[in-house]
Amino acid sequence: MEHTTYTNFRQNLKSFMDRVMNHRMPLLVTRTDGKDVVVLSKSDYDSIHETFFLLKNPRNAQRIFESIGEMNDGGGFEKTIQKLS
């Protein structure tokens, strides 16, 4: 994760925000009081929030991890939207 000081962030706000968006990498902004801030794109924030939502239910989390395991072991198959209708 890239990091910068609050002063540098403030002086180069547009450049840092563009890099966060273009590279989809969060930015750590350090502050002298130790209350640092992480800057990330809205889409990355939404993705993290959705992941937390899906994993907060233990049964749902277990099912997701089982499904990932099955896929990693060569199980599953691909379906297109056309095949669903």
Side-chain angles (χ1 to χ4, degrees):
M1 176 183 328
E2 185 178 359
H3 68 277
T4 188
T5 64
Y6 172 77
T7 301
N8 191 37
F9 178 69
R10 189 181 65 231
Q11 292 170 349
N12 300 288
L13 181 63
K14 182 183 179 337
S15 173
F16 281 115
M17 291 178 75
D18 287 345
R19 286 206 305 258
V20 166
M21 291 300 299
N22 294 334
H23 300 291
R24 295 191 58 129
M25 291 292 295
L27 171 70
L28 174 63
V29 181
T30 58
R31 299 166 60 182
T32 56
D33 63 4
K35 296 179 181 177
D36 301 340
V37 175
V38 174
V39 178
L40 65 153
S41 71
K42 171 106 173 32
S43 63
D44 286 343
Y45 171 81
D46 290 343
S47 178
I48 291 168
H49 192 271
E50 181 176 355
T51 300
F52 286 153
F53 176 79
L54 292 172
L55 295 179
K56 74 179 179 182
N57 178 309
R59 285 186 72 197
N60 196 48
Q62 180 182 0
R63 179 66 184 122
I64 289 170
F65 290 126
E66 287 173 358
S67 296
I68 291 170
E70 289 174 17
M71 290 298 294
N72 289 338
D73 291 339
F77 55 91
E78 184 176 326
K79 265 193 177 179
T80 64
I81 291 177
Q82 291 81 13
K83 290 181 182 179
L84 293 175
S85 50

